[in-house]
Amino acid sequence: MSIKSLAEDDRPREKFLLKGKAAVSDSELLAIIMGSGNREESAVELARRILNSVENNWHRLSQLNIKDLMKFKGVGEAKAISIATALEIGNRKSQQEVLERQKINSSKEAFEILQPHLSDLQTEEFWVIFLNHQNKILYKNCLFRGGIASSVADLRVIFKTAIEHFSTGIIVAHNHPAGSLKPSQQDINITLKIKEAGKLLDIELLDHLIIAQNQFYSFKEEGIL
């Protein structure tokens, strides 16, 4: 279905999804916030008229109060509050510093990040840290629960998530609830599978940690990777 064939109020949302946020105009962004127009105007036309009234300046629009916004036909209290809320979020965002992503420089640092999640569990979990080219954390999450033997055989989930986050490197980890740090042959086999699969996608397996309470085993430090 093409964007042109959609109802006019739905087109900005579809454009946002298909082409990305940078492709959406100011009036289309405002139309998405409002959701609908009035009987005579689509949401985009109403948004365009509102922006024209403030010379297409978001700062001037943010100075309008709820009653000012409600003077436009088709803008009730709920829409006015939605507009004011979106502008206030933008204002607060502009006042905040960009958070620096945490960087991992060693296996010990990776262990310290994952230990709170894995050290005291009674069942196995498999976690992955997704990193950029500077080894800064893009995302981390538990991808599998209930035993490494059955869960990690499907590597597609790991690399699908890595691609979604534009990751160039990963660190994987799982816990041994019984307390032993010695890797099983299955642990080794899975590690090598992940490593080889990553080569095809240019996503490097940087380490595999086995965590047991306050200790860890690093496949990298032990020369397996």
Side-chain angles (χ1 to χ4, degrees):
M1 182 181 292
S2 69
I3 292 175
K4 288 183 178 180
S5 68
L6 294 169
E8 198 160 358
D9 283 347
D10 293 328
R11 292 177 191 174
R13 300 185 189 90
E14 190 72 11
K15 186 175 178 181
F16 192 107
L17 286 172
L18 292 176
K19 298 185 177 181
K21 57 188 177 182
V24 181
S25 68
D26 285 358
S27 57
E28 288 169 332
L29 285 173
L30 184 55
I32 291 171
I33 293 168
M34 293 191 299
S36 63
N38 55 46
R39 290 182 180 179
E40 290 82 31
E41 299 172 301
S42 68
V44 175
E45 289 168 338
L46 175 57
R48 192 177 295 122
R49 184 159 61 86
I50 293 171
L51 287 170
N52 285 341
S53 74
V54 292
E55 298 178 350
N56 296 297
N57 187 288
W58 290 108
H59 293 288
R60 286 194 58 189
L61 182 61
S62 68
Q63 293 170 356
L64 301 184
N65 59 35
I66 300 299
K67 289 183 178 179
D68 293 330
L69 291 168
M70 289 175 65
K71 291 176 182 178
F72 293 94
K73 184 177 180 181
V75 179
E77 186 176 69
K79 282 184 187 176
I81 291 172
S82 295
I83 294 169
T85 299
L87 292 167
E88 178 58 22
I89 290 171
N91 179 52
R92 295 186 188 189
K93 176 180 178 290
S94 68
Q95 295 177 33
Q96 290 181 337
E97 294 182 4
V98 176
L99 294 176
E100 182 68 21
R101 294 188 184 276
Q102 188 173 3
K103 184 175 183 178
I104 296 180
N105 295 302
S106 66
S107 301
K108 185 174 184 296
E109 288 182 3
F111 164 69
E112 289 170 350
I113 290 167
L114 292 169
Q115 183 189 16
H117 301 288
L118 287 165
S119 61
D120 296 322
L121 297 177
Q122 299 303 308
T123 56
E124 275 193 28
E125 291 190 357
F126 188 91
W127 282 67
V128 184
I129 302 176
F130 301 91
L131 306 160
N132 65 13
H133 67 285
Q134 295 177 320
N135 283 1
K136 292 184 178 182
I137 298 175
L138 299 171
Y139 179 66
K140 67 177 187 293
N141 200 15
C142 173
L143 294 189
F144 309 102
R145 289 186 172 90
I148 191 170
S150 58
S151 60
V152 187
D154 186 357
L155 305 180
R156 292 171 296 181
V157 176
I158 297 173
F159 289 103
K160 177 179 179 292
T161 308
I163 290 168
E164 287 173 349
H165 290 276
F166 300 97
S167 175
T168 59
I170 58 173
I171 295 173
V172 303
H174 75 282
N175 61 313
H176 278 180
S180 170
L181 287 175
K182 183 178 179 180
S184 67
Q185 187 58 49
Q186 199 156 35
D187 293 337
I188 295 170
N189 292 343
I190 287 169
T191 302
L192 297 178
K193 276 186 179 181
I194 296 171
K195 179 181 178 181
E196 291 304 310
K199 285 181 180 179
L200 296 173
L201 297 169
D202 250 357
I203 299 172
E204 184 180 1
L205 175 61
L206 300 170
D207 206 346
H208 181 176
L209 303 181
I210 297 173
I211 295 174
Q213 296 182 338
N214 296 319
Q215 298 176 304
F216 72 97
Y217 177 97
S218 164
F219 280 68
K220 180 180 179 181
E221 291 182 358
E222 296 298 325
I224 298 177
L225 281 176

